[in-house]
Amino acid sequence: MENGSTKKKAHLPVSRINTIMKSSSDVDTVDKESSLLMCKATELFIRTLALEGYNNANRAKKLDYKHLAEVVHVDEKYNFLRDIMPKKITVLEYKNIMARKEAIENDVKKEEATSSDSSDDEEDSSSGSDDSSASA
C-alpha cells in the first residue's frame, strides 16, 4: 500500500521527457518507470544548477541567465553545456571580438598573398634560366 504523501507529482511533463527519449535512434520503447526516473533526474539537475547560480549571484532577488552561464563556465562538471550556454557579453565586447577576428583573417590573407607572390617570382626566375639554356 503506497502512501499518498511519499509519491510526488513530477513538475516536468513526463510525456515530453518520453518524446525526447524516443527521439534517439537507439530507443524503440520507453517504460513508464524510466520516464519518471529521467523526469526526476532532470528536475534535480535543474534544481542543482539553479541553486549554484543563485549562490554565485550572492543570493540576489533575481536569478539571471548570466548567473547560470557563469556557473556553467566555472564548474567543470557543466562542461557539456558550454556550447549551448555561452557567457553573456556586451555589444561592445562582441564588436571587439569580431574586429580582432577580422584583423587575424586579413593578416593570414596578406601572408598567403606574399608567399604566393614570392613563389611566383621564384618560378619566373627558374623558367627564365631554362629558356636561355635551351636557346643556346
Side-chain angles (χ1 to χ4, degrees), residues 86-101:
K87 278 187 174 181
K88 190 173 184 178
I89 60 173
T90 63
V91 173
L92 180 62
E93 290 171 323
Y94 174 76
K95 286 181 178 180
N96 289 337
I97 290 169
M98 295 310 292
R100 284 193 303 263
K101 184 178 179 182

PDB file of all heavy atoms in Angstrom, residues 86-101:
ATOM      1  N   PRO A  86      26.536  30.048 -23.781  1.00  0.00           N
ATOM      2  CA  PRO A  86      27.730  30.904 -23.792  1.00  0.00           C
ATOM      3  C   PRO A  86      27.607  32.019 -22.757  1.00  0.00           C
ATOM      4  O   PRO A  86      26.512  32.373 -22.335  1.00  0.00           O
ATOM      5  CB  PRO A  86      27.746  31.461 -25.211  1.00  0.00           C
ATOM      6  CG  PRO A  86      26.337  31.393 -25.665  1.00  0.00           C
ATOM      7  CD  PRO A  86      25.732  30.206 -24.978  1.00  0.00           C
ATOM      8  N   LYS A  87      28.764  32.545 -22.370  1.00  0.00           N
ATOM      9  CA  LYS A  87      28.766  33.666 -21.439  1.00  0.00           C
ATOM     10  C   LYS A  87      28.086  34.864 -22.076  1.00  0.00           C
ATOM     11  O   LYS A  87      28.193  35.085 -23.280  1.00  0.00           O
ATOM     12  CB  LYS A  87      30.194  34.060 -21.077  1.00  0.00           C
ATOM     13  CG  LYS A  87      30.822  33.222 -20.017  1.00  0.00           C
ATOM     14  CD  LYS A  87      32.156  33.818 -19.631  1.00  0.00           C
ATOM     15  CE  LYS A  87      32.741  33.082 -18.455  1.00  0.00           C
ATOM     16  NZ  LYS A  87      34.025  33.655 -18.059  1.00  0.00           N
ATOM     17  N   LYS A  88      27.411  35.612 -21.265  1.00  0.00           N
ATOM     18  CA  LYS A  88      26.748  36.820 -21.743  1.00  0.00           C
ATOM     19  C   LYS A  88      27.798  37.911 -21.899  1.00  0.00           C
ATOM     20  O   LYS A  88      28.600  38.159 -21.003  1.00  0.00           O
ATOM     21  CB  LYS A  88      25.676  37.250 -20.745  1.00  0.00           C
ATOM     22  CG  LYS A  88      24.779  38.336 -21.243  1.00  0.00           C
ATOM     23  CD  LYS A  88      23.651  38.577 -20.265  1.00  0.00           C
ATOM     24  CE  LYS A  88      22.709  39.611 -20.826  1.00  0.00           C
ATOM     25  NZ  LYS A  88      21.571  39.838 -19.947  1.00  0.00           N
ATOM     26  N   ILE A  89      27.816  38.561 -23.063  1.00  0.00           N
ATOM     27  CA  ILE A  89      28.760  39.643 -23.321  1.00  0.00           C
ATOM     28  C   ILE A  89      28.002  40.857 -23.836  1.00  0.00           C
ATOM     29  O   ILE A  89      26.888  40.737 -24.347  1.00  0.00           O
ATOM     30  CB  ILE A  89      29.859  39.232 -24.332  1.00  0.00           C
ATOM     31  CG1 ILE A  89      29.250  38.839 -25.673  1.00  0.00           C
ATOM     32  CG2 ILE A  89      30.716  38.121 -23.774  1.00  0.00           C
ATOM     33  CD1 ILE A  89      30.285  38.594 -26.756  1.00  0.00           C
ATOM     34  N   THR A  90      28.650  42.011 -23.732  1.00  0.00           N
ATOM     35  CA  THR A  90      28.025  43.235 -24.219  1.00  0.00           C
ATOM     36  C   THR A  90      28.253  43.364 -25.725  1.00  0.00           C
ATOM     37  O   THR A  90      29.089  42.669 -26.296  1.00  0.00           O
ATOM     38  CB  THR A  90      28.616  44.474 -23.513  1.00  0.00           C
ATOM     39  OG1 THR A  90      30.001  44.562 -23.849  1.00  0.00           O
ATOM     40  CG2 THR A  90      28.444  44.388 -22.006  1.00  0.00           C
ATOM     41  N   VAL A  91      27.538  44.269 -26.327  1.00  0.00           N
ATOM     42  CA  VAL A  91      27.685  44.519 -27.764  1.00  0.00           C
ATOM     43  C   VAL A  91      29.098  45.015 -28.058  1.00  0.00           C
ATOM     44  O   VAL A  91      29.717  44.615 -29.048  1.00  0.00           O
ATOM     45  CB  VAL A  91      26.623  45.529 -28.256  1.00  0.00           C
ATOM     46  CG1 VAL A  91      26.870  45.925 -29.695  1.00  0.00           C
ATOM     47  CG2 VAL A  91      25.228  44.955 -28.099  1.00  0.00           C
ATOM     48  N   LEU A  92      29.631  45.857 -27.193  1.00  0.00           N
ATOM     49  CA  LEU A  92      30.984  46.380 -27.377  1.00  0.00           C
ATOM     50  C   LEU A  92      32.008  45.246 -27.345  1.00  0.00           C
ATOM     51  O   LEU A  92      32.918  45.198 -28.187  1.00  0.00           O
ATOM     52  CB  LEU A  92      31.311  47.417 -26.306  1.00  0.00           C
ATOM     53  CG  LEU A  92      32.698  48.048 -26.386  1.00  0.00           C
ATOM     54  CD1 LEU A  92      32.860  48.806 -27.699  1.00  0.00           C
ATOM     55  CD2 LEU A  92      32.931  48.962 -25.197  1.00  0.00           C
ATOM     56  N   GLU A  93      31.858  44.314 -26.405  1.00  0.00           N
ATOM     57  CA  GLU A  93      32.761  43.169 -26.339  1.00  0.00           C
ATOM     58  C   GLU A  93      32.659  42.333 -27.608  1.00  0.00           C
ATOM     59  O   GLU A  93      33.669  41.874 -28.150  1.00  0.00           O
ATOM     60  CB  GLU A  93      32.455  42.301 -25.112  1.00  0.00           C
ATOM     61  CG  GLU A  93      32.810  42.949 -23.803  1.00  0.00           C
ATOM     62  CD  GLU A  93      32.306  42.165 -22.604  1.00  0.00           C
ATOM     63  OE1 GLU A  93      31.203  41.589 -22.682  1.00  0.00           O
ATOM     64  OE2 GLU A  93      33.019  42.140 -21.585  1.00  0.00           O
ATOM     65  N   TYR A  94      31.440  42.133 -28.103  1.00  0.00           N
ATOM     66  CA  TYR A  94      31.233  41.370 -29.333  1.00  0.00           C
ATOM     67  C   TYR A  94      31.916  42.056 -30.515  1.00  0.00           C
ATOM     68  O   TYR A  94      32.595  41.409 -31.315  1.00  0.00           O
ATOM     69  CB  TYR A  94      29.739  41.195 -29.607  1.00  0.00           C
ATOM     70  CG  TYR A  94      29.445  40.549 -30.932  1.00  0.00           C
ATOM     71  CD1 TYR A  94      29.623  39.177 -31.107  1.00  0.00           C
ATOM     72  CD2 TYR A  94      29.017  41.304 -32.017  1.00  0.00           C
ATOM     73  CE1 TYR A  94      29.372  38.575 -32.328  1.00  0.00           C
ATOM     74  CE2 TYR A  94      28.762  40.711 -33.235  1.00  0.00           C
ATOM     75  CZ  TYR A  94      28.938  39.350 -33.383  1.00  0.00           C
ATOM     76  OH  TYR A  94      28.692  38.765 -34.598  1.00  0.00           O
ATOM     77  N   LYS A  95      31.755  43.372 -30.616  1.00  0.00           N
ATOM     78  CA  LYS A  95      32.382  44.106 -31.720  1.00  0.00           C
ATOM     79  C   LYS A  95      33.900  44.007 -31.654  1.00  0.00           C
ATOM     80  O   LYS A  95      34.565  43.867 -32.689  1.00  0.00           O
ATOM     81  CB  LYS A  95      31.941  45.568 -31.701  1.00  0.00           C
ATOM     82  CG  LYS A  95      30.508  45.759 -32.166  1.00  0.00           C
ATOM     83  CD  LYS A  95      30.119  47.216 -32.156  1.00  0.00           C
ATOM     84  CE  LYS A  95      28.706  47.407 -32.678  1.00  0.00           C
ATOM     85  NZ  LYS A  95      28.310  48.824 -32.663  1.00  0.00           N
ATOM     86  N   ASN A  96      34.452  44.072 -30.445  1.00  0.00           N
ATOM     87  CA  ASN A  96      35.908  43.939 -30.288  1.00  0.00           C
ATOM     88  C   ASN A  96      36.381  42.547 -30.705  1.00  0.00           C
ATOM     89  O   ASN A  96      37.413  42.409 -31.365  1.00  0.00           O
ATOM     90  CB  ASN A  96      36.325  44.230 -28.850  1.00  0.00           C
ATOM     91  CG  ASN A  96      36.200  45.683 -28.489  1.00  0.00           C
ATOM     92  OD1 ASN A  96      36.213  46.552 -29.362  1.00  0.00           O
ATOM     93  ND2 ASN A  96      36.067  45.969 -27.210  1.00  0.00           N
ATOM     94  N   ILE A  97      35.640  41.533 -30.331  1.00  0.00           N
ATOM     95  CA  ILE A  97      35.994  40.156 -30.712  1.00  0.00           C
ATOM     96  C   ILE A  97      35.967  40.006 -32.228  1.00  0.00           C
ATOM     97  O   ILE A  97      36.880  39.436 -32.827  1.00  0.00           O
ATOM     98  CB  ILE A  97      35.032  39.147 -30.047  1.00  0.00           C
ATOM     99  CG1 ILE A  97      35.287  39.086 -28.537  1.00  0.00           C
ATOM    100  CG2 ILE A  97      35.180  37.756 -30.664  1.00  0.00           C
ATOM    101  CD1 ILE A  97      34.223  38.332 -27.766  1.00  0.00           C
ATOM    102  N   MET A  98      34.933  40.535 -32.858  1.00  0.00           N
ATOM    103  CA  MET A  98      34.806  40.421 -34.314  1.00  0.00           C
ATOM    104  C   MET A  98      35.900  41.230 -35.025  1.00  0.00           C
ATOM    105  O   MET A  98      36.416  40.797 -36.053  1.00  0.00           O
ATOM    106  CB  MET A  98      33.418  40.880 -34.770  1.00  0.00           C
ATOM    107  CG  MET A  98      32.292  39.992 -34.262  1.00  0.00           C
ATOM    108  SD  MET A  98      32.542  38.230 -34.540  1.00  0.00           S
ATOM    109  CE  MET A  98      32.436  38.125 -36.291  1.00  0.00           C
ATOM    110  N   ALA A  99      36.272  42.372 -34.474  1.00  0.00           N
ATOM    111  CA  ALA A  99      37.343  43.177 -35.081  1.00  0.00           C
ATOM    112  C   ALA A  99      38.674  42.435 -35.006  1.00  0.00           C
ATOM    113  O   ALA A  99      39.440  42.426 -35.978  1.00  0.00           O
ATOM    114  CB  ALA A  99      37.440  44.531 -34.380  1.00  0.00           C
ATOM    115  N   ARG A 100      38.958  41.813 -33.862  1.00  0.00           N
ATOM    116  CA  ARG A 100      40.196  41.034 -33.738  1.00  0.00           C
ATOM    117  C   ARG A 100      40.192  39.861 -34.702  1.00  0.00           C
ATOM    118  O   ARG A 100      41.202  39.554 -35.337  1.00  0.00           O
ATOM    119  CB  ARG A 100      40.364  40.526 -32.301  1.00  0.00           C
ATOM    120  CG  ARG A 100      40.814  41.599 -31.335  1.00  0.00           C
ATOM    121  CD  ARG A 100      41.275  41.012 -30.015  1.00  0.00           C
ATOM    122  NE  ARG A 100      40.272  40.202 -29.353  1.00  0.00           N
ATOM    123  CZ  ARG A 100      39.460  40.624 -28.400  1.00  0.00           C
ATOM    124  NH1 ARG A 100      39.528  41.871 -27.975  1.00  0.00           N
ATOM    125  NH2 ARG A 100      38.582  39.816 -27.851  1.00  0.00           N
ATOM    126  N   LYS A 101      39.048  39.205 -34.812  1.00  0.00           N
ATOM    127  CA  LYS A 101      38.944  38.062 -35.729  1.00  0.00           C
ATOM    128  C   LYS A 101      39.171  38.505 -37.175  1.00  0.00           C
ATOM    129  O   LYS A 101      39.887  37.849 -37.936  1.00  0.00           O
ATOM    130  CB  LYS A 101      37.563  37.415 -35.580  1.00  0.00           C
ATOM    131  CG  LYS A 101      37.363  36.170 -36.399  1.00  0.00           C
ATOM    132  CD  LYS A 101      35.996  35.571 -36.151  1.00  0.00           C
ATOM    133  CE  LYS A 101      35.771  34.350 -36.983  1.00  0.00           C
ATOM    134  NZ  LYS A 101      34.433  33.778 -36.804  1.00  0.00           N
TER     135      LYS A 101
END
